[in-house]
Amino acid sequence: MAIIDLLNFSGFLQTTTSSFLRRNDQLELAINVNGDNIGSVTKRLGYSLFQDYGSSVTGLWSYNDVSGGNRYLLAFDSGTLKYSTGGAPSSIVGGLTTTAKVEFTTFLDQAFVVGANSSNTYLTTATIDGVTYSTTNNVTNAPKAKYVEVFRDRVYLADVEVSGTRYPDRFYYSSTPDSAGTSITWTATDFERVYTNNGEPIMGIHTNKFLNELLIFKETSMHAWDTVRLRDIASIGTSAHRSIKTVNYTTFFFNRDGIYAYTGSVPQLVSRPIQKWIDGITQSALVDVFAMDDENKYYKLFVGSITVDGTTYSNCEIRYSLVDNSFTIYSYFDTFSIYASHIVSSVQRIYAGDTSGDVHTLAGKGDTVYSDDSNPIAAQFMTKAFDLGIPSEQKFTETVTLFSNKSQNLTFRYRVDGGDWSTHSAIDKKIDPRRINPAQGYLFQFHFSESSTVAPFEFQGLSFTPRLTTDRHG
């Protein structure tokens, strides 16, 4: 038989088809690795502590106060709104609903603030100008709301409370700014009602600027508003408003069936290649998943614990690459609660609030952060079971050559026909030919793992020369 070169893993995680249909460049397991170096498998970077904001971060927003010349990272923590310009957080206002999920948007150089808890206790709609909190500045007569968004020079509020009465299927909109460009007003009759699937509350609103639409989600339906008419898009929705993100013109969102992509027509399910990972998400956590756009190339969806094939992976993020239509799984040390993109010292990075009140800075390209806030990052990946094009014939091999740009502490093991794994063996050279106990069987599979706080490994592939068993004895 010819030399088998497996030097491309750009397909990454795919667990839906049988091993016979799975491509050679696809993996059966991918934890804390990515394919950002095309073809290679590289361990992810880590994160470091930005600041301790308190006890539990349930709102996070990057607010650029242009007139004041400051960029603030706003956070809501157990009833208190706080800000930081890089140093220790300071309080803006306290005494608010402790368990509220707080949402923000920026308009007219102010941060608009809304939110409610799971019992539908709403915050009073407010603005922050610099670090001054107000329930009257540009929000006089505005309803309380769960969701806020800016669309075509108006502020929109959805799932609202007016004079003590909740209207979960309404969205209100402000006036356009005055001639000075500093003020908006609210009128009691400026609202629309989403009648489709009447009885379901609005679960989120989101602006897709490329499509010039305000998207409105219920749990089982999706709609679009263009300031004149409301149209139905599909009988597909979401229960997790923080999963809704637009990445490179495509709006992604999550529901219990998986990750959907919307480009102006019917939303398409894109997560089918990893369906068993979707099915393994803890069901009680579905409403709390949240997402972030990363570099306008990746959709990062934090989903919590995932149980697959009897193993539970904690604090998981499903990372989808639009560039090569591939998935991987990140498993973090801390339990994140929300993401925000923020600029510090002219560098834009993703920041993550967590359930203990900390906010972390996720490392980006060029950063040298190799741990999860000083904790080791445990990475592993597993190839498909290779039949080498002749599934009905037994093969054997005695050597395998491993290729790595950086092997670091990476170890490998192998098995045949789904049997017991060999012992772990460290890879310690860029080109590392290994003599192995003669492996004989129909299917060959390889597993790699590493856990440390050192710089990431980059595995580039492997090569071996199998022979038919009949040749060996002939």
Side-chain angles (χ1 to χ4, degrees):
M1 295 182 68
I3 296 174
I4 303 298
D5 293 322
L6 304 172
L7 305 176
N8 174 22
F9 294 101
S10 58
F12 251 73
L13 186 62
Q14 202 274 78
T15 58
T16 297
T17 65
S18 73
S19 185
F20 296 109
L21 295 181
R22 192 171 293 122
R23 302 195 313 261
N24 285 351
D25 69 340
Q26 293 174 328
L27 301 172
E28 286 193 17
L29 183 68
I31 305 293
N32 288 329
V33 291
N34 61 53
D36 294 359
N37 294 326
I38 297 174
S40 298
V41 180
T42 304
K43 184 179 177 180
R44 70 167 171 86
L45 295 173
Y47 57 84
S48 57
L49 179 66
F50 174 66
Q51 291 294 336
D52 181 355
Y53 275 74
S55 58
S56 181
V57 178
T58 57
L60 196 66
W61 185 253
S62 178
Y63 166 41
N64 182 18
D65 176 20
V66 176
S67 61
N70 290 306
R71 289 186 183 271
Y72 300 105
L73 188 60
L74 304 178
F76 185 81
D77 177 84
S78 300
T80 301
L81 275 169
K82 301 178 181 180
Y83 73 92
S84 171
T85 56
S90 299
S91 175
I92 296 174
V93 64
L96 305 177
T97 303
T98 304
T99 56
K101 280 187 175 181
V102 173
E103 311 299 336
F104 302 86
T105 194
T106 301
F107 189 58
L108 302 181
D109 206 23
Q110 298 173 346
F112 285 72
V113 186
V114 302
N117 64 12
S118 58
S119 300
N120 298 316
T121 301
Y122 292 74
L123 300 182
T124 299
T125 300
T127 55
I128 298 173
D129 190 350
V131 293
T132 301
Y133 176 86
S134 173
T135 55
T136 57
N137 188 4
N138 279 327
V139 288
T140 297
N141 296 323
K144 298 177 180 180
K146 281 191 179 181
Y147 313 114
V148 61
E149 184 64 287
V150 174
F151 178 60
R152 290 195 184 180
D153 292 329
R154 298 177 191 265
V155 176
Y156 282 76
L157 303 174
D159 187 343
V160 300
E161 180 182 284
V162 179
S163 301
T165 300
R166 183 187 178 202
Y167 299 97
D169 58 1
R170 286 186 186 181
F171 63 90
Y172 281 72
Y173 48 89
S174 72
S175 68
T176 55
D178 62 6
S179 58
T182 58
S183 299
I184 55 175
T185 58
W186 297 86
T187 302
T189 55
D190 285 345
F191 70 87
E192 295 289 336
R193 189 176 177 188
V194 185
Y195 287 96
T196 305
N197 290 321
N198 199 18
E200 284 189 351
I202 292 173
M203 299 300 296
I205 55 176
H206 177 80
T207 297
N208 184 312
K209 294 180 181 179
F210 176 72
L211 298 174
N212 202 17
E213 292 179 333
L214 179 70
L215 303 177
I216 302 154
F217 293 82
K218 290 190 171 187
E219 187 168 358
T220 61
S221 63
M222 181 178 176
H223 317 269
W225 168 254
D226 61 5
T227 73
V228 176
R229 67 185 183 98
L230 185 67
R231 69 180 180 90
D232 300 335
I233 295 175
S235 296
I236 302 169
T238 183
S239 60
H241 69 280
R242 286 180 172 172
S243 73
I244 309 165
K245 291 291 177 184
T246 294
V247 185
N248 194 23
Y249 309 124
T250 300
T251 296
F252 293 89
F253 61 95
F254 173 83
N255 66 29
R256 64 182 66 253
D257 295 323
I259 299 169
Y260 284 83
Y262 172 71
T263 57
S265 185
V266 177
Q268 299 296 312
L269 181 68
V270 297
S271 58
R272 188 167 180 266
I274 58 162
Q275 191 61 46
K276 75 176 181 180
W277 290 84
I278 298 295
D279 296 340
I281 299 170
T282 303
Q283 292 295 296
S284 60
L286 295 181
V287 298
D288 295 319
V289 306
F290 57 90
M292 178 52 62
D293 164 20
D294 186 9
E295 298 181 10
N296 208 30
K297 294 189 294 186
Y298 308 104
Y299 175 72
K300 294 164 60 73
L301 181 74
F302 189 92
V303 298
S305 295
I306 304 178
T307 301
V308 173
D309 297 333
T311 300
T312 298
Y313 303 87
S314 300
N315 304 322
C316 290
E317 170 192 287
I318 299 172
R319 184 178 187 258
Y320 175 61
S321 170
L322 280 69
V323 176
D324 49 22
N325 189 32
S326 67
F327 290 89
T328 190
I329 307 295
Y330 287 176
S331 177
Y332 295 109
F333 180 82
D334 291 282
T335 305
F336 294 159
S337 53
I338 191 169
Y339 287 143
S341 180
H342 184 58
I343 296 175
V344 173
S345 300
S346 301
V347 179
Q348 185 171 22
R349 296 182 178 89
I350 294 174
Y351 289 73
D354 73 18
T355 56
S356 69
D358 290 335
V359 173
H360 305 275
T361 308
L362 274 61
K365 287 184 178 178
D367 291 336
T368 55
V369 181
Y370 308 136
S371 69
D372 285 356
D373 195 11
S374 300
N375 297 284
I377 300 171
Q380 59 174 315
F381 61 98
M382 182 170 67
T383 69
K384 64 171 280 186
F386 297 105
D387 62 36
L388 309 179
I390 314 177
S392 61
E393 294 282 351
Q394 281 198 332
K395 285 79 63 176
F396 76 96
T397 187
E398 296 180 356
T399 60
V400 60
T401 302
L402 306 165
F403 301 94
S404 305
N405 185 26
K406 297 177 182 178
S407 61
Q408 304 299 70
N409 299 312
L410 186 65
T411 65
F412 88 101
R413 56 183 181 165
Y414 64 92
R415 68 180 179 183
V416 294
D417 299 341
D420 294 335
W421 290 101
S422 67
T423 57
H424 287 274
S425 179
I427 303 171
D428 52 19
K429 301 175 184 176
K430 283 191 173 184
I431 301 176
D432 194 352
R434 291 299 182 91
R435 188 171 182 83
I436 61 177
N437 290 329
Q440 178 176 311
Y442 296 95
L443 305 172
F444 293 77
Q445 192 168 31
F446 301 89
H447 179 275
F448 302 83
S449 61
E450 187 267 352
S451 179
S452 72
T453 60
V454 302
F457 62 77
E458 183 187 348
F459 179 75
Q460 296 178 315
L462 57 93
S463 178
F464 61 102
T465 306
R467 288 185 289 169
L468 294 177
T469 305
T470 53
D471 295 338
R472 182 183 186 185
H473 296 294

